[in-house]
Amino acid sequence: MAENKRTFKQLSKEKSLAELNDFAKKVTELYANSELIYSQSVIAEENNLTIKGLRDLMDYAIIMSLVSKKVCDKVLEKSIFNQRKKIQVSGVNSILHHKEIIKRRRELSLNSFSEATIYRIANDVAGNFDYSIHEFTIKYNIESDKITRKILERSITENIVSDEVVERLIERSLKDITDMIELSRATEYFDYIVGIRNKKKR
């Protein structure tokens, strides 16, 4: 019966944090890796969850990085596919919701890096122009190049690295840009974040 189906709030009360995390990961991966026609309502029914309970559980798994980026992308793909069968605009709503969830996941991931780790990554990037940002993403087991760039931004704005390292990071970023409009935008961006850095200096 529908009234016996569990919400995310009920799950968080009845399970330990480890159990909740394991269950969220399992259910999200199950939904992501099943056939496109295997809808949220079916997954919810099989796991004694309300539809909203399932969605909250999957959002939680994504935000907390309990599942891989590949699984996140599959969840979005399936959500759009299944909702578009009902209402055309729902696919758009799914994209907007997913973007917000991924943004929160990225922010949480970024905040998990200590200043010491950020210092080490930024100095490594600044000292090795021959390696791409993606290679550093792989080296430090960072989820995406976007997060790697946010780590470098944080190293500048929060005064984690020296002025010399900041200059090298900027030089590295600008050196291969040939399009004048792109160069102007990049320069404005660095002027902006260096401005934030200078305001925070004591």
Side-chain angles (χ1 to χ4, degrees):
M1 291 173 60
E3 57 266 24
N4 294 324
K5 294 191 184 301
R6 299 170 296 174
T7 64
F8 181 79
K9 187 175 181 179
Q10 287 172 312
L11 284 174
S12 62
K13 286 180 179 178
E14 71 181 45
K15 295 179 179 292
S16 69
L17 180 60
E19 289 171 339
L20 180 66
N21 288 351
D22 286 344
F23 185 61
K25 182 176 187 291
K26 182 192 85 171
V27 170
T28 306
E29 288 178 343
L30 175 65
Y31 176 73
N33 294 319
S34 59
E35 295 296 323
L36 278 174
I37 57 171
Y38 207 58
S39 67
Q40 289 182 3
S41 59
V42 175
I43 299 284
E45 181 69 32
E46 290 181 350
N47 288 277
N48 193 30
L49 295 164
T50 64
I51 296 291
K52 186 177 186 307
L54 171 66
R55 289 172 182 161
D56 289 345
L57 195 67
M58 292 197 296
D59 285 352
Y60 172 77
I62 291 170
I63 291 168
M64 300 303 293
S65 295
L66 302 177
V67 294
S68 68
K69 183 66 167 60
K70 185 176 180 181
V71 168
C72 295
D73 294 340
K74 284 185 176 181
V75 168
L76 173 63
E77 179 186 350
K78 282 200 68 179
S79 297
I80 292 172
F81 175 82
N82 284 303
Q83 288 189 23
R84 275 186 177 162
K85 290 190 299 181
K86 303 171 188 174
I87 306 172
Q88 190 67 32
V89 75
S90 293
V92 176
N93 292 335
S94 288
I95 293 171
L96 293 175
H97 176 74
H98 190 76
K99 281 185 176 180
E100 179 58 31
I101 294 301
I102 291 297
K103 180 182 176 183
R104 289 169 63 187
R105 173 189 174 99
R106 192 182 301 127
E107 287 170 353
L108 196 62
S109 176
L110 179 61
N111 290 332
S112 71
F113 289 89
S114 67
E115 286 195 6
T117 302
I118 291 172
Y119 176 87
R120 186 166 71 252
I121 294 170
N123 275 273
D124 197 2
V125 173
N128 293 285
F129 281 32
D130 292 337
Y131 295 95
S132 68
I133 290 295
H134 187 63
E135 286 173 293
F136 290 107
T137 299
I138 295 170
K139 178 178 179 179
Y140 289 98
N141 195 31
I142 303 169
E143 182 170 278
S144 68
D145 292 347
K146 182 168 277 190
I147 294 177
T148 303
R149 291 189 177 94
K150 283 293 182 182
I151 286 171
L152 298 177
E153 179 183 296
R154 190 175 158 196
S155 77
I156 295 171
T157 59
E158 297 185 12
N159 287 280
I160 295 172
V161 293
S162 67
D163 289 343
E164 182 185 358
V165 169
V166 172
E167 287 174 9
R168 290 208 302 269
L169 288 172
I170 294 173
E171 179 188 351
R172 173 197 168 92
S173 297
L174 300 181
K175 69 181 180 71
D176 293 325
I177 301 178
T178 55
D179 181 83
M180 294 308 295
I181 295 175
E182 186 182 348
L183 181 61
S184 177
R185 285 176 182 162
T187 303
E188 284 179 12
Y189 161 73
F190 282 112
D191 286 345
Y192 172 70
I193 64 171
V194 169
I196 295 173
R197 172 187 176 86
N198 291 336
K199 285 179 184 177
K200 290 183 178 180
K201 280 185 177 178
R202 293 188 177 94

